[in-house]
Amino acid sequence: MSSTSSGNGLLNLEDVEAGPSKDNDHIDNENRHHDDDDADSSDPFDVPHTKNAPLEILKRWRYISKAKGYLGICHLFVWHLLTNFVSGCVMTKADDVNQSQKLDNASPGKGYGAVDSFGAGMLLESSSQHSASGQLQAALVLNASRRFRYTLDLRKEEEKERRKRMIRAHAQVIRAALLFKLAGEKQIVSGPPIALPIAVGEYNIGLEQLASMTRDHKLSALRQYSGVEGLSELLKTDLQTGISGDDADLLNRRNAFGSNTYPRKKGRSFWRFLWEAWQDLTLIILIISAGVSLGLGIKTEGLKEGWYDGGSIFFAVFIVIVVTATSDYRQSLQFQNLNEEKRNIQLEVMRGGRTVKISIYDVVVGDVVPLKIGDQVPADGVLITGHSLAIDESSMTGESKIVHKDQKEPFLMAGCKVADGVGTMLVTGVGINTEWGLLMASISEDTGEETPLQVRLNGVATFIGVVGLVVAVSVLLVLLVRYFTGNTEDPDGTTQFIKGTTKFDDAFNDVVKIFTIAVLPAARSGSLAFQCRAATARIVQVTIVVVAVPEGLPLAVTLTLAYSMRKMMADKALANLDMQVRRLSACETMGSATTICSDKTGTLTLNEMTVVEAYVGKKKINPPADSSQLHSSVVSLLNEGVAMNSTGNVFVPKDGGDVEISGSPTEKAILSWAVKLGMEFDVVRSAFKVLHVFPFNSEKKRGGVAVQQSNSDSEVHIHWKGAAEMVLASCSGYLDTDGCLQSIDEEKEFFKAAIDEMAASSLRCVALAYRLFEKEKIPTDEESLSGWVLPEDSLVLLAIVGIKDPCRPGVKDAVRICTDAGVRVRMVTGDNIQTAKAIALECGILSSAEDAIEPTIIEGRVFRALSEKEREQVAKKITVMGRSSPNDKLLLVQALRKGGDVVAVTGDGTNDAPALHEADIGLSMGIQGTEVAKESSDIIILDDNFASVVKVVRWGRSVYANIQKFIQFQLTVNVAALVINVVAAISSGDVPLNSVQLLWVNLIMDTLGALALATEPPTDNLMHRTPVGRREPLITNIMWRNLLIQALYQVTVLLTLNFLGLSILHLKDDSDRKHAVQVKNTLIFNAFVMCQIFNEFNSRKPEEINCFKGVTKNYLFMAIVGVTFVLQIIIIEFLGNFTSTVKLNWKLWLVSLGIGIFSWPLAIVGKLIPVSKTPLAAYFTRPFKRYRRSRNASS
């Protein structure tokens, strides 16, 4: 948790020393009591100086502290902070402010007031500075204007960051105060003695010693252990081959030093979700309404039948709460699984001399871990070797500055990212024994993601709810006016309210019931209207708000996303789809993508590289690995350059098995070629020592190394490897096959032609070159050497190799599917423009060679040289971009998004992170992608296959289409039920659908309807539509057409039955008028439900005539429809008292079914009606826009 806490979270006072320590932004002098310019190295509160202060200065500070009385309060202040720290208490900002105000009143000369003021002030300033910093970072990361980007709960994020900052601030104040206190007590002396290693089990050093050394960055302790070499002996690790890695060895290390895991906070329980679910405002209104209805029902009708109203609403509320809580709970579990997958990083370690890939959780103390750009440091450790190694420690210190690591600063902290360079580290601390582990154990993950579509649907639901409330208030006013004017009558013709005659108690009950019915979403059956004087008032119990508020819309999104993700992983037809979704919102967003900017290597190609052509001098070597055609000196230089200028590894089993080659695909291809030439990797590596490394740079497209023979004072060789045409431009000569140096001036055109020929055959061209360098010119001190720039002029060309990376099978079909779907595929690659062109033609991205003209095919340097406006114009025309840098990709994404495209981007490198984040959907590669790239992405394509990207588009469109199907279905029910009850209530004071019935209909459309329509699998027809743009309305004209036709039909038929039903059904002359009205209302209710059941089929295919296509394959849909139908039969035939219905004979059942079935042919006829492409909303907003334009023009 803090850098001064021990493995068990407690502070060890003996661990504090005045040795070098890591920088921390919380002890920065900027914006403090004094500026950096005025910083005095003799100031005891200048903490960075304190940590490295000489003994004389510490002694002088001691006398100062005695003079001012600081020492005593330091002791109290340390224990005050320590108590809070150990007990897990983190002061709130309000507490800090109060404390600071109190301490400000203390004068510096009185006791310990000055020191406490200093400590509190440092905490407050640190917190306030970094609070502002955190907000700035959030503003940069979160862009509210981006419709398709996941929006965090900023309050939770700020709270999480505040806790981290306060933990770090506590730790640093404790460190500063203890150093000061110990200085005064003479406990810090020059070169403090370090306790001798204590043997623990099979190892000669203990857990606490390791944790203390790494946590507090004790360089003196590391030196006393004889550096990293001596430390590796104590841990029984070989720095070259790593640990043995057998099961017994791993078990011993975990027992002695712990595992690389940390305890996780438990997620919210199901009961917590239940508690939160019932606090919804709509549900609270329902509960209040149910209580009122229950009380009035029992009062007027007795307990036996009076509980039906309130009981039915309470039951409906219970169902809604349970369904909502269950859905949210399952979603939280899904988020926990996603977070677990995100944390389960795969990395390479050296074990038994070979490079193996393991989970970050399997790292143990003693492991040797190679580090490269973009990697996350998996555990605390010590640097073994490093070249230009720069670490981004912002995740631990909060300060976004890069820290360069070398033998003076060898300590590495878990959770940090490699920003540049390469290196290897020895793991010394894992899991809870690291500061990262303590931080992660104290902070729970946020699982409250709300997708953009859910946000939009919440807005739709709120709008409809407001409309429903307005209608309800209007109905309330009409009913009250009708009641008090004497126009409300019982079925027998008795006027309900007679001025001067009706008792106040009766009138009050009637008004309360009318208010409860019309405004609050509660209701009661109309069948009891004959049992008391206020019967007709209860007939008009309109559940308008219940019907009007479509609570099922957000639920439908959750169900759809959860179902889609589960099916994407489980469906055997998608066995090749290998992906990891980091953000649920990415699923729905991917369906709206209009363009995909794809990498070439590994995405469009197999990433299985092989050297198939090689030029040495002017001779083409055939076969390319035939060393007999080359002079031994040339082979020796090639082997030296390949082995030393590589981050890969070659492992030759002692039992004579196959050679194992690790590294990037390009590295593996070149290493494999060199092995065939006769290279002995281990022999070459041991024969030379590395002086300096220039890691491969995606901007310069090359990497270099300076080496010298280990046991001699020979000259230095500088080897370069990289993009052929770029390395060639730096060459002044070349070696021919006989090993003779030749001038390259007259032969450069030959080599350029050779490169173009290989590139045209879709080969990646890599050149190998070297030069001699005077040893005297190489910097001798480590600091100067780390900043030395390798010379890259006057190189001697050794070879040019052509590496074949064949296109993936099926990628051409995938590109064609995208094109048919209106999604444009663009290739953005760092390869030669000719290679990019050849691959684009092979993949179908370019239809013909005639299309390969600028700006359709363009180089990155040309694109970046354009102005911003020109880039926006050119971006839409670009299909292939070659020799692009990560910044070029970012510029392209920005230009496309400004042009209105919804952009998906694939990336694998650390420098791709800005483009991945800028895009609407970031797709990182699971195999070649760095951890930085993965963290910036929304979806990880684990198999790096472009076909998987296309399948994600297909499922994304399915999510969006399913939501639209449900919206059409639900709004049809909303409109029909609302119009039927409002018209009936206003016209006659009587309604055909009571509260229990409408709550059942609400359950059908909210829960069962969402489950049925939200789980429709994707169809091929989805990929024949154009993408949904940024400004496309959620409810399309086609949806408006379908829902209005169905709603108009239902309203017409059911209102006809309501007003003329007794005559149509020949019940007008029935002697039992009560029974006749019940039969009519039951038929209306039954027909209404049948219309919804059959309309569910219509909603499956909003645009297709055949709505039954594939329905038998959707077992869940068929099951829900069947269950709904069976439950409707039970309600009508057996639950009459509860729902105020009566049994229907078979003729009326046939009538109900006939009314429902007629919606099928009606839907077919409706789908033949053409609709305008202009959104319906545009017709309403157009007059306002014209008025606004004319007003602006006149002004």
Side-chain angles (χ1 to χ4, degrees):
M1 189 173 297
S2 75
S3 57
T4 55
S5 60
S6 67
N8 56 9
L10 299 177
L11 181 73
N12 190 339
L13 298 182
E14 296 178 357
D15 290 343
V16 181
E17 62 164 293
S21 180
K22 57 178 181 252
D23 296 334
N24 192 292
D25 58 342
H26 300 280
I27 314 298
D28 202 330
N29 292 325
E30 184 180 358
N31 295 327
R32 298 190 185 279
H33 303 297
H34 48 77
D35 295 327
D36 282 336
D37 295 334
D38 299 325
D40 183 5
S41 60
S42 64
D43 185 354
F45 298 131
D46 183 6
V47 178
H49 288 99
T50 304
K51 291 185 284 186
N52 299 284
L55 177 63
E56 292 75 15
I57 293 180
L58 293 176
K59 288 180 178 178
R60 181 154 50 91
W61 288 347
R62 176 199 173 204
Y63 298 128
I64 295 174
S65 68
K66 285 184 177 180
K68 292 189 176 182
Y70 284 170
L71 189 59
I73 186 51
C74 263
H75 184 80
L76 294 175
F77 180 59
V78 166
W79 285 108
H80 167 68
L81 287 179
L82 189 59
T83 304
N84 285 343
F85 179 68
V86 173
S87 63
C89 297
V90 179
M91 293 190 299
T92 63
K93 190 164 290 187
D95 293 334
D96 289 342
V97 172
N98 292 336
Q99 184 179 356
S100 177
Q101 290 173 346
K102 292 177 182 178
L103 292 173
D104 285 342
N105 297 326
S107 61
K110 294 181 180 180
Y112 49 83
V115 177
D116 267 0
S117 297
F118 155 70
M122 184 160 61
L123 273 172
L124 284 171
E125 290 173 5
S126 172
S127 299
S128 61
Q129 287 177 11
H130 287 281
S131 176
S133 173
Q135 291 172 1
L136 177 60
Q137 291 173 6
L140 291 173
V141 171
L142 303 175
N143 190 338
S145 66
R146 290 170 59 181
R147 162 187 159 193
F148 294 107
R149 173 59 68 181
Y150 155 65
T151 303
L152 289 172
D153 185 339
L154 290 177
R155 288 177 299 178
K156 289 185 180 180
E157 290 299 307
E158 288 174 358
E159 174 64 19
K160 185 188 296 185
E161 289 302 315
R162 189 186 70 82
R163 290 188 63 193
K164 285 184 178 180
R165 290 194 300 270
M166 293 302 296
I167 290 170
R168 299 188 192 109
H170 275 287
Q172 294 303 324
V173 170
I174 291 171
R175 180 195 296 276
L178 275 178
L179 288 173
F180 187 68
K181 173 179 178 291
L182 295 177
E185 295 177 353
K186 293 185 179 182
Q187 289 190 15
I188 300 180
V189 296
S190 179
I194 306 297
L196 293 176
I198 301 173
V200 176
E202 299 182 5
Y203 306 99
N204 296 322
I205 188 169
L207 169 62
E208 187 56 37
Q209 290 173 301
L210 274 177
S212 170
M213 178 189 68
T214 310
R215 180 181 59 246
D216 298 329
H217 291 194
K218 292 183 180 179
L219 192 59
S220 57
L222 180 62
R223 288 171 179 165
Q224 183 156 336
Y225 299 149
S226 302
V228 68
E229 292 83 5
L231 189 61
S232 66
E233 292 180 5
L234 297 175
L235 293 173
K236 297 186 177 181
T237 298
D238 188 300
L239 295 182
Q240 299 300 321
T241 61
I243 63 176
S244 63
D246 57 69
D247 292 341
D249 183 32
L250 295 176
L251 182 61
N252 289 337
R253 291 178 186 275
R254 290 192 182 102
N255 290 336
F257 305 109
S259 62
N260 200 26
T261 57
Y262 48 86
R264 305 230 165 74
K265 283 195 172 182
K266 290 184 178 180
R268 291 181 293 176
S269 67
F270 177 73
W271 302 110
R272 176 71 178 272
F273 283 103
L274 277 177
W275 172 259
E276 293 177 355
W278 83 268
Q279 297 179 57
D280 180 82
L281 179 60
T282 304
L283 295 180
I284 291 175
I285 295 175
L286 276 169
I287 293 171
I288 295 173
S289 176
V292 172
S293 182
L294 185 65
L296 290 175
I298 294 175
K299 177 183 176 182
T300 57
E301 300 163 21
L303 180 61
K304 186 176 181 181
E305 295 184 346
W307 68 272
Y308 288 158
D309 284 345
S312 64
I313 300 172
F314 274 124
F315 179 74
V317 169
F318 175 76
I319 294 295
V320 171
I321 289 175
V322 171
V323 170
T324 302
T326 303
S327 173
D328 291 343
Y329 180 63
R330 289 175 62 86
Q331 184 176 350
S332 74
L333 294 179
Q334 195 167 31
F335 268 104
Q336 290 177 22
N337 293 335
L338 287 178
N339 288 328
E340 188 64 30
E341 287 296 325
K342 287 190 283 187
R343 286 189 290 256
N344 188 16
I345 298 169
Q346 301 296 311
L347 70 152
E348 293 182 341
V349 298
M350 291 293 297
R351 288 182 178 176
R354 71 178 68 188
T355 303
V356 295
K357 203 161 193 174
I358 63 171
S359 165
I360 191 172
Y361 300 133
D362 296 330
V363 173
V364 296
V365 169
D367 263 326
V368 174
V369 182
L371 299 173
K372 60 182 182 298
I373 298 176
D375 285 350
Q376 176 175 314
V377 180
D380 283 358
V382 179
L383 183 68
I384 301 174
T385 60
H387 302 285
S388 305
L389 186 63
I391 305 295
D392 178 4
E393 295 185 347
S394 59
S395 59
M396 293 304 300
T397 65
E399 184 176 351
S400 57
K401 74 174 185 179
I402 305 302
V403 180
H404 293 274
K405 295 295 180 179
D406 50 29
Q407 298 307 317
K408 294 181 180 178
E409 276 288 331
F411 296 103
L412 300 165
M413 291 188 291
C416 300
K417 303 293 190 303
V418 180
D420 196 12
V422 294
T424 55
M425 66 172 284
L426 175 66
V427 175
T428 58
V430 294
I432 202 68
N433 298 309
T434 67
E435 188 172 343
W436 176 258
L438 288 169
L439 280 173
M440 291 301 100
S442 65
I443 298 172
S444 60
E445 292 287 343
D446 176 26
T447 60
E449 178 182 1
E450 192 172 47
T451 74
L453 193 53
Q454 280 177 316
V455 174
R456 295 184 71 194
L457 289 176
N458 280 329
V460 172
T462 302
F463 174 76
I464 297 174
V466 170
V467 172
L469 186 60
V470 171
V471 172
V473 172
S474 302
V475 171
L476 170 66
L477 295 176
V478 171
L479 294 179
L480 288 175
V481 170
R482 285 177 56 89
Y483 179 78
F484 286 111
T485 57
N487 291 317
T488 303
E489 297 179 347
D490 288 334
D492 58 5
T494 305
T495 301
Q496 290 188 356
F497 179 82
I498 301 174
K499 187 176 181 180
T501 303
T502 305
K503 294 180 180 179
F504 175 80
D505 186 51
D506 294 334
F508 177 78
N509 287 343
D510 290 343
V511 169
V512 170
K513 290 171 186 176
I514 291 174
F515 179 82
T516 304
I517 294 154
V519 178
L520 299 180
R524 171 63 187 108
S525 149
S527 64
L528 298 177
F530 301 94
Q531 299 181 21
C532 67
R533 191 176 173 283
T536 307
R538 280 192 297 278
I539 294 176
V540 194
Q541 294 179 347
V542 186
T543 56
I544 291 175
V545 178
V546 172
V547 178
V549 179
E551 302 95 341
L553 289 179
L555 176 63
V557 180
T558 302
L559 292 173
T560 302
L561 291 174
Y563 169 80
S564 297
M565 287 186 60
R566 188 169 62 251
K567 291 297 289 182
M568 279 193 286
M569 299 302 180
D571 196 336
K572 293 182 179 178
L574 299 176
N576 293 326
L577 180 56
D578 202 0
M579 54 170 282
Q580 179 189 119
V581 180
R582 290 173 55 84
R583 295 187 180 95
L584 279 178
S585 57
C587 286
E588 69 187 44
T589 308
M590 198 63 191
S592 302
T594 59
T595 185
I596 300 174
C597 297
S598 174
D599 279 340
K600 177 187 76 70
T601 305
T603 307
L604 298 171
T605 61
L606 283 171
N607 214 13
E608 296 174 357
M609 299 190 181
T610 309
V611 174
V612 295
E613 289 189 24
Y615 281 86
V616 176
K618 293 180 64 177
K619 183 177 180 180
K620 184 176 181 179
I621 309 301
N622 192 13
D626 185 3
S627 59
S628 63
Q629 302 180 42
L630 305 175
H631 192 273
S632 59
S633 61
V634 178
V635 174
S636 177
L637 282 170
L638 284 172
N639 291 342
E640 177 186 322
V642 171
M644 301 307 296
N645 190 17
S646 174
T647 56
N649 185 55
V650 178
F651 176 75
V652 181
K654 295 180 180 179
D655 57 5
D658 294 336
V659 175
E660 297 177 15
I661 300 175
S662 60
S664 69
T666 304
E667 294 276 18
K668 289 166 68 176
I670 296 176
L671 285 170
S672 178
W673 173 67
V675 167
K676 294 175 183 176
L677 284 176
M679 177 188 70
E680 296 182 0
F681 185 81
D682 291 337
V683 174
V684 176
R685 293 290 282 249
S686 60
F688 291 86
K689 61 181 179 181
V690 176
L691 303 178
H692 189 58
V693 174
F694 179 83
F696 180 83
N697 187 295
S698 58
E699 294 288 342
K700 288 194 171 185
K701 307 291 184 187
R702 54 188 152 184
V705 62
V707 299
Q708 184 184 30
Q709 285 192 352
S710 301
N711 300 321
S712 68
D713 198 23
S714 61
E715 56 194 2
V716 174
H717 288 178
I718 297 176
H719 288 274
W720 285 95
K721 175 179 66 181
E725 69 271 22
M726 294 185 174
V727 174
L728 179 64
S730 301
C731 291
S732 60
Y734 70 92
L735 285 183
D736 60 21
T737 54
D738 296 326
C740 300
L741 180 62
Q742 307 289 341
S743 175
I744 204 171
D745 294 337
E746 298 178 0
E747 307 298 341
K748 273 199 175 181
E749 292 303 319
F750 169 83
F751 289 113
K752 288 180 181 178
I755 293 171
D756 289 341
E757 181 185 347
M758 287 190 285
S761 301
S762 68
L763 301 184
R764 169 175 284 187
C765 303
V766 177
L768 304 171
Y770 91 111
R771 64 162 291 171
L772 301 177
F773 196 76
E774 298 84 355
K775 183 183 177 183
E776 294 75 19
K777 294 183 179 181
I778 299 177
T780 53
D781 61 292
E782 187 174 342
E783 186 173 347
S784 300
L785 183 62
S786 63
W788 179 45
V789 178
L790 288 180
E792 47 187 313
D793 59 333
S794 303
L795 302 183
V796 177
L797 182 66
L798 295 176
I800 299 175
V801 295
I803 303 174
K804 179 68 174 176
D805 186 13
C807 280
R808 286 184 179 274
V811 73
K812 192 168 185 176
D813 291 336
V815 171
R816 178 182 51 77
I817 291 172
C818 282
T819 304
D820 293 342
V823 181
R824 186 170 179 181
V825 180
R826 292 176 165 91
M827 179 197 293
V828 184
T829 178
D831 266 350
N832 182 294
I833 194 73
Q834 297 299 326
T835 304
K837 173 185 171 182
I839 292 291
L841 286 169
E842 192 175 346
C843 293
I845 295 175
L846 285 175
S847 57
S848 64
E850 288 73 23
D851 295 336
I853 57 174
E854 197 171 302
T856 303
I857 181 169
I858 193 172
E859 283 196 354
R861 58 180 178 82
V862 177
F863 181 71
R864 85 176 74 107
L866 300 174
S867 66
E868 184 175 346
K869 199 165 186 179
E870 290 172 329
R871 282 199 295 267
E872 289 181 34
Q873 296 172 350
V874 171
K876 289 187 174 294
K877 303 175 183 177
I878 293 175
T879 301
V880 176
M881 182 183 288
R883 284 294 179 230
S884 67
S885 67
N887 189 55
D888 297 332
K889 183 184 288 188
L890 175 61
L891 292 174
L892 178 61
V893 171
Q894 290 173 338
L896 289 171
R897 293 191 70 250
K898 285 180 181 178
D901 278 305
V902 179
V903 185
V905 170
T906 68
D908 54 14
T910 300
N911 292 333
D912 287 330
L916 288 169
H917 181 265
E918 180 68 22
D920 295 293
I921 313 101
L923 302 156
S924 63
M925 301 296 104
I927 298 174
Q928 292 302 311
T930 63
E931 289 307 316
V932 174
K934 292 176 183 177
E935 286 195 0
S936 299
S937 66
D938 304 298
I939 296 175
I940 301 174
I941 305 299
L942 298 179
D943 61 353
D944 293 13
N945 192 346
F946 184 78
S948 297
V949 177
V950 177
K951 290 175 181 176
V952 176
V953 173
R954 191 166 179 259
W955 274 94
R957 291 193 174 191
S958 177
V959 169
Y960 201 86
N962 286 346
I963 297 302
Q964 288 186 314
K965 295 172 187 177
F966 176 69
I967 290 174
Q968 176 182 309
F969 170 71
Q970 187 170 50
L971 290 186
T972 302
V973 184
N974 279 106
V975 172
L978 201 60
V979 171
I980 291 169
N981 272 11
V982 168
V983 171
I986 292 176
S987 61
S988 65
D990 188 9
V991 291
L993 301 173
N994 64 46
S995 65
V996 179
Q997 295 167 358
L998 284 178
L999 285 170
W1000 164 238
V1001 173
N1002 212 34
L1003 181 64
I1004 294 175
M1005 67 182 185
D1006 274 358
T1007 307
L1008 298 180
L1011 197 59
L1013 293 172
T1015 54
E1016 282 284 321
T1019 61
D1020 294 335
N1021 186 55
L1022 291 171
M1023 298 305 286
H1024 296 292
R1025 303 178 184 174
T1026 55
V1028 179
R1030 290 183 182 279
R1031 299 172 183 87
E1032 290 285 333
L1034 192 60
I1035 305 175
T1036 65
N1037 287 359
I1038 292 175
M1039 294 168 62
W1040 280 119
R1041 177 197 65 192
N1042 295 342
L1043 75 87
L1044 289 176
I1045 288 174
Q1046 293 294 327
L1048 184 61
Y1049 164 69
Q1050 293 176 22
V1051 168
T1052 302
V1053 171
L1054 299 183
L1055 283 180
T1056 301
L1057 285 176
N1058 183 59
F1059 294 115
L1060 304 175
L1062 294 178
S1063 299
I1064 294 173
L1065 300 174
H1066 305 292
L1067 298 174
K1068 200 167 186 179
D1069 300 328
D1070 195 325
S1071 58
D1072 189 350
R1073 181 173 176 80
K1074 171 185 173 182
H1075 181 265
V1077 172
Q1078 285 183 317
V1079 170
K1080 179 201 70 172
N1081 288 345
T1082 301
L1083 176 63
I1084 293 173
F1085 168 57
N1086 201 38
F1088 185 65
V1089 172
M1090 291 300 118
C1091 284
Q1092 312 320 318
I1093 291 176
F1094 290 107
N1095 192 38
E1096 275 193 88
F1097 288 88
N1098 294 329
S1099 300
R1100 290 185 65 248
K1101 308 287 182 182
E1103 300 179 28
E1104 298 180 40
I1105 298 295
N1106 183 9
C1107 63
F1108 304 105
K1109 185 178 179 181
V1111 70
T1112 56
K1113 296 180 181 178
N1114 190 343
Y1115 303 116
L1116 183 59
F1117 180 89
M1118 296 300 293
I1120 289 175
V1121 170
V1123 168
T1124 305
F1125 189 76
V1126 170
L1127 289 177
Q1128 180 65 15
I1129 294 175
I1130 294 173
I1131 287 173
I1132 298 297
E1133 298 298 323
F1134 303 104
L1135 299 179
N1137 290 336
F1138 190 71
T1139 59
S1140 300
T1141 58
V1142 295
K1143 295 182 179 181
L1144 298 178
N1145 58 41
W1146 64 271
K1147 293 180 181 179
L1148 294 181
W1149 270 103
L1150 288 179
V1151 170
S1152 302
L1153 289 171
I1155 293 173
I1157 291 175
F1158 189 75
S1159 64
W1160 286 348
L1162 184 65
I1164 294 174
V1165 174
K1167 290 172 184 177
L1168 298 176
I1169 301 175
V1171 295
S1172 172
K1173 291 185 178 180
T1174 304
L1176 188 63
Y1179 293 103
F1180 297 99
T1181 58
R1182 192 173 293 168
F1184 297 100
K1185 290 181 179 179
R1186 288 175 182 170
Y1187 172 74
R1188 190 180 303 163
R1189 281 197 298 265
S1190 62
R1191 187 175 179 181
N1192 292 337
S1194 61
S1195 61

